[in-house]
């Protein structure tokens, strides 16, 4: 299909957004208004009609999934060399590319490590334990504060001078030590992927000019989710040419808690006075009734740019509001209704989604779905590979096959505790950097004795000799037996019991580690069809087998973190935050009660506007039918507490709502018909 044919399929506003290339452009894209089509068609338009080289274009978004989808769609339009060199990535990947290209200017060595949030937490725990025994909550609070400072481009010195109380002063001192240690380890954390490029581009005009020459046009998806540093990255790169398109929706800004600044929409107009605003208001997803409810609700929030969604999908069914006696009745109602509707409407399980404010609301629902044998997928659960005990075991395995893996070394040198503190590791890292060797190799060098006290050298030496011994046993015989022996010898199980809040938790964590080792064994199993000669030839390469198997596990870890797609036929359970960007034929929104939606914290903090946007996101996920449920009573701290219906229910158009379980609002005939429907559905199920 040619670019002209693709343009012809877009509506007039979408076409305008694609064709406008002469200056800064904000596309205000309502829910379900086809924004991805606009971005991907615009990339093809820039290349095929405007003659711009694809390598000069960068399109950025927030998730790997969104970047993958965009890349695939652009790939269908730009064939062969046309799309060569095009950047379609997340903000963080773009930042990582800038860091890789500017290592010298930033003062990093090649092969730097990227600390994930758990690695960063482990370092903070070590740094904070020097002062006193700190609890997990305090570590999380400091980690969150440091992340906020980095997102707002506040460097350690500034953090200390701006600190308003003792807690912030303490966090600022930890921040300073944390940055110093990361640099000594030749490592960066997730927030650094934006912070470091922005700071570098601000202070080094030569580097800035180089990246401005590389990127001539930028497209930014989900612009309302940008934080201070992400917006500055776009501004710095585009300030000269002013050729960019940002696509966003202020009504879907629901990530303030992780640094998103919806006010960046206002800042954009101030920084670029020639900003052209194009509104996409035609919705291709939902019925008129669902959109009217969404528009009426969100009109209660103040707006910089007004917009009203409309659709040609017909009015559709009324929105049902189901009042239940208590939370168990609510979960029972949702589960049994999905079952009967699937039979009656010949729907697929995947057509149904249940959304809620907090993950805890899914527990009862899961039990009810299991009772009815309804298959479901729970989004947002902890991945096997992201568990701490698995990351520890994986770090040991990585170090066994590659002693130069500094990140793995840092994770487990003090797990279980070997009294090797962050001060020792900082000096070790500085020594390794001077010598140009890995941390592991540096522990074997005699020169280290000049840098560290004898006790510290002895402890490091004991650790590396332990690892060397395991590697030797792997080379000499049964590699798996050597790995199992290592876990027993260092008494990792005792360490888990020591650090777990309950023995059952430690037991479960150790069972996870043995599951990983079993997976490793399965990964090494040979094909039973192999000939005796093949087996004999490979007997001597058992360590290679282990290395290949561990590498496969590492790869599986990465893939599992990225595997967000799931096409199996299951009911989808997810939080409203996690539902953004998705759509389903039939949606249930659970827990429409005060202190749940809007959440108590938001009511106390005066941030109900963001909760209203969250409810708006939930409503606009529905294509055909929307059911809102609430409970009269809910358990809190072991007691049944009375619940108040959410204020958001009063903000919906009353004529579009059909109430159930509330005598003053319910039609008795419909109630009777509903009961008969439920019985008929169950009969057909049993029949």
């Amino acid at each position: 299909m040619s670019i002209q044919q693709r343009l012809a399929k877009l509506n007039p506003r979408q076409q305008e957004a694609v064709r406008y290339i002469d200056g800064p452009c904000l596309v205000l894209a309502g829910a379900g208004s086809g924004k991805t089509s606009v971005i991907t068609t615009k990339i093809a338009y820039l290349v095929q009609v405007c003659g711009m080289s694809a390598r000069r274009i960068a399109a950025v978004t927030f998730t790997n999934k969104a970047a993958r989808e965009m890349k695939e769609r652009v790939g269908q339009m730009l064939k062969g060399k046309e799309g060569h060199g095009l950047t379609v990535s997340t903000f963080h990947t773009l930042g990582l590319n800038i860091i890789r290209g500017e290592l010298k200017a930033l003062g990093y060595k090649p092969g730097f490590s990227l600390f994930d949030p758990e690695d960063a937490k482990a370092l903070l725990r070590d740094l904070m334990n020097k002062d006193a025994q700190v609890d997990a909550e305090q570590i999380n609070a400091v980690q969150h504060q440091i992340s906020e400072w980095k997102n707002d481009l506040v460097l350690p010195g500034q953090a200390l001078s701006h600190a308003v109380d003792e807690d912030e002063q303490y966090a600022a001192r930890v921040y300073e030590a944390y940055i110093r240690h990361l640099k000594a380890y030749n490592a960066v954390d997730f927030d650094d992927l934006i912070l470091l490029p922005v700071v570098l581009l601000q202070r080094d005009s030569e580097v800035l000019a180089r990246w401005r020459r590389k990127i001539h046009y930028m497209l930014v998806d989900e612009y309302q989710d940008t934080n201070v540093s992400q917006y500055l990255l776009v501004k710095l790169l585009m300030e000269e040419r002013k050729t960019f398109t940002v696509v966003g929706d202020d009504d879907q800004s629901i990530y303030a808690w992780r640094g998103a600044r919806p006010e960046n929409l206002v800042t954009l107009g101030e920084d670029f006075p020639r900003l052209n605003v194009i509104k996409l208001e035609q919705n291709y997803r939902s019925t008129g009734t669902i959109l009217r409810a969404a528009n009426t609700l969100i009109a209660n929030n103040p707006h910089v740019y007004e917009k009203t969604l409309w659709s040609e999908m017909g009015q559709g069914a009324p929105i049902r509001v189901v009042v239940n006696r208590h939370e168990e009745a609510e979960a029972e109602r949702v589960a049994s209704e999905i079952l009967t509707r699937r039979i009656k409407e010949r729907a697929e399980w995947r057509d149904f989604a249940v959304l809620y404010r907090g993950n805890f609301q899914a527990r009862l629902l899961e039990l009810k779905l299991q009772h009815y044998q309804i298959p479901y997928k729970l989004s947002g659960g902890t991945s096997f590979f992201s568990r701490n005990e698995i990351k520890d075991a994986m770090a040991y395995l990585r170090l066994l096959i590659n002693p130069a893996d500094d990140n793995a070394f840092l994770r487990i040198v003090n797990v279980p505790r070997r009294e090797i503190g962050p001060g020792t590791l900082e000096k070790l890292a500085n020594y390794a950097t001077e010598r140009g060797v890995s941390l592991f190799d540096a522990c074997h060098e005699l020169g280290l004795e000049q840098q560290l006290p004898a006790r510290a050298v002895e402890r490091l030496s004991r650790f590396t000799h332990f690892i060397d011994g395991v590697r030797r046993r792997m080379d000499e015989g049964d590699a798996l037996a050597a790995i199992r022996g290592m876990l027993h010898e260092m008494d990792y199980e005792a360490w888990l019991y020591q650090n777990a809040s309950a023995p059952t938790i430690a037991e479960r964590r150790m069972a996870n580690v043995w599951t990983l080792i079993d997976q490793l064994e399965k990964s090494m199993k040979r094909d039973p069809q192999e000939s005796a000669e093949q087996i004999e030839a490979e007997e001597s390469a058992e360590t290679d087998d282990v290395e290949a198997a561990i590498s496969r596990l590492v790869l599986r870890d990465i893939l599992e973190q990225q595997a967000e797609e799931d096409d199996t036929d299951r009911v989808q359970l997810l939080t409203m935050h996690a539902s953004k960007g998705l759509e389903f034929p039939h949606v249930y929104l659970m827990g429409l009660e005060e202190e749940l939606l809007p959440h108590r914290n938001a009511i106390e903090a005066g941030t109900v506007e963001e909760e209203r946007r969250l409810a708006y996101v939930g409503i606009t996920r529905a294509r055909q039918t929307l059911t809102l449920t609430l409970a009269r009573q809910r358990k809190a701290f072991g007691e049944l507490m009375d619940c108040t219906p959410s204020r958001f229910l009063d903000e919906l158009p009353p004529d579009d709502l059909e109430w159930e379980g509330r005598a003053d609002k319910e039609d008795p005939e419909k109630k009777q018909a509903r009961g008969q429907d439920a019985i008929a559905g169950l009969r057909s199920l049993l029949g």
Side-chain angles (χ1 to χ4, degrees), residues 417-446:
R417 202 156 182 76
R418 298 182 176 93
E419 294 181 9
I420 299 167
T424 297
L425 292 173
E426 185 183 8
K427 286 174 184 164
L428 172 68
N430 287 332
Y431 174 78
T433 303
E434 281 168 28
R435 298 278 301 122
V437 296
S438 70
L439 297 174
F440 191 88
D441 285 345
C443 294
H444 289 84
E445 294 202 354
L446 291 171

Side-chain angles (χ1 to χ4, degrees), residues 36 71 78 113 162-163 208 345 357 385 402 412 667 679:
T36 309
K71 208 175 280 184
L78 300 179
S113 297
H162 293 172
L208 178 61
E345 298 169 25
R357 179 64 179 80
F385 281 100
N402 174 21
I412 45 93
D667 181 335
I679 292 164

Side-chain angles (χ1 to χ4, degrees), residues 537-676:
E538 289 180 12
E539 287 274 296
S540 61
E542 176 141 24
T543 309
D544 291 341
D545 279 353
V546 172
E547 289 191 13
I550 291 169
S551 297
R552 281 195 292 273
L553 275 182
V554 172
L555 182 60
R556 193 185 308 176
D557 175 8
I558 295 164
L559 291 176
E560 181 163 318
Q561 286 172 23
Q562 292 178 347
E564 296 156 358
E565 306 293 329
D566 185 359
D567 293 330
T568 51
D569 189 21
R570 298 188 279 174
V571 173
Q572 304 294 307
L573 312 185
L574 60 174
T575 64
M576 282 177 234
H577 281 104
S579 74
K580 190 160 162 288
L582 304 174
E583 56 181 72
F584 310 93
H586 309 293
V587 168
Y588 288 81
L589 279 192
M590 287 177 74
L592 266 286
E593 298 143 33
E594 287 289 297
E595 303 203 347
L596 197 47
L597 184 71
H599 196 274
R600 184 195 304 123
N601 295 352
I603 296 170
E604 288 170 0
T607 54
V608 170
E609 284 173 17
E610 173 139 344
E611 294 290 296
R612 190 175 283 112
R613 292 195 290 267
L614 192 57
Y616 173 86
V617 165
I619 289 169
T620 53
R621 299 311 94 199
R623 297 214 301 258
Q624 297 164 25
T625 71
L626 175 65
T627 306
L628 313 175
T629 71
L630 61 151
R632 287 201 191 92
Q633 289 188 312
R634 205 171 279 276
K635 258 191 186 163
F637 312 111
E639 282 184 50
L640 269 180
M641 311 286 277
D642 290 337
C643 304
T644 308
S646 170
R647 68 189 72 186
F648 299 151
L649 290 169
D650 295 328
E651 295 175 359
L652 297 174
D655 294 346
D656 289 334
L657 303 183
E658 199 174 82
W659 288 78
E660 297 173 21
R662 194 169 146 182
D664 60 326
K665 303 237 185 190
E666 193 165 10
D667 181 335
E669 285 181 20
K670 283 186 177 171
K671 184 178 180 180
Q672 191 179 353
R674 206 168 50 247
Q676 288 167 349

Side-chain angles (χ1 to χ4, degrees), residues 486-521:
M486 171 186 75
L487 288 164
H488 285 301
E489 196 180 329
M490 67 189 189
D491 209 355
Y492 185 70
E493 190 165 6
W495 157 256
L496 287 176
Y497 274 95
Q498 204 179 322
N499 289 279
S501 53
T504 49
I505 292 173
E507 200 176 311
R508 192 160 61 241
R509 286 178 181 165
M510 196 63 216
N512 286 338
V513 173
W514 293 128
T515 301
L516 179 78
I517 304 304
D518 290 343
Q519 282 297 116
L520 185 61
E521 189 167 17

Side-chain angles (χ1 to χ4, degrees), residues 258-293:
R258 66 179 190 206
R261 297 278 182 269
E263 56 269 29
N264 281 351
L265 285 159
V266 183
T267 312
L268 191 69
E270 292 166 354
D271 288 343
F272 297 92
R274 284 180 48 228
L275 184 69
N276 184 20
V277 180
I278 300 168
K279 298 177 188 177
L280 303 185
E281 296 172 296
Q282 183 174 358
N283 173 285
Y284 293 92
R285 175 188 297 159
S286 309
T287 64
T289 302
I290 290 167
L291 292 182
R292 192 159 47 246

Side-chain angles (χ1 to χ4, degrees), residues 98 153 194-205 207-213 215 218 228-242 244 268 271-272:
I98 294 174
L153 287 183
I194 310 293
L195 173 81
L196 291 175
V198 170
V199 170
L200 178 64
L201 295 175
Q202 281 179 326
R203 71 160 194 243
D204 193 323
S205 56
V207 172
L208 178 61
R210 184 157 55 242
W211 283 91
R212 281 179 174 173
R213 283 195 300 272
I215 301 174
M218 274 189 92
V228 171
S229 55
Q230 286 160 339
Y231 171 58
L232 267 176
L233 183 61
V234 175
K235 185 186 168 190
L236 283 162
L237 292 168
M238 291 293 109
E239 209 160 17
E240 197 173 63
R241 283 194 170 79
K242 300 179 176 58
F244 63 81
L268 191 69
D271 288 343
F272 297 92

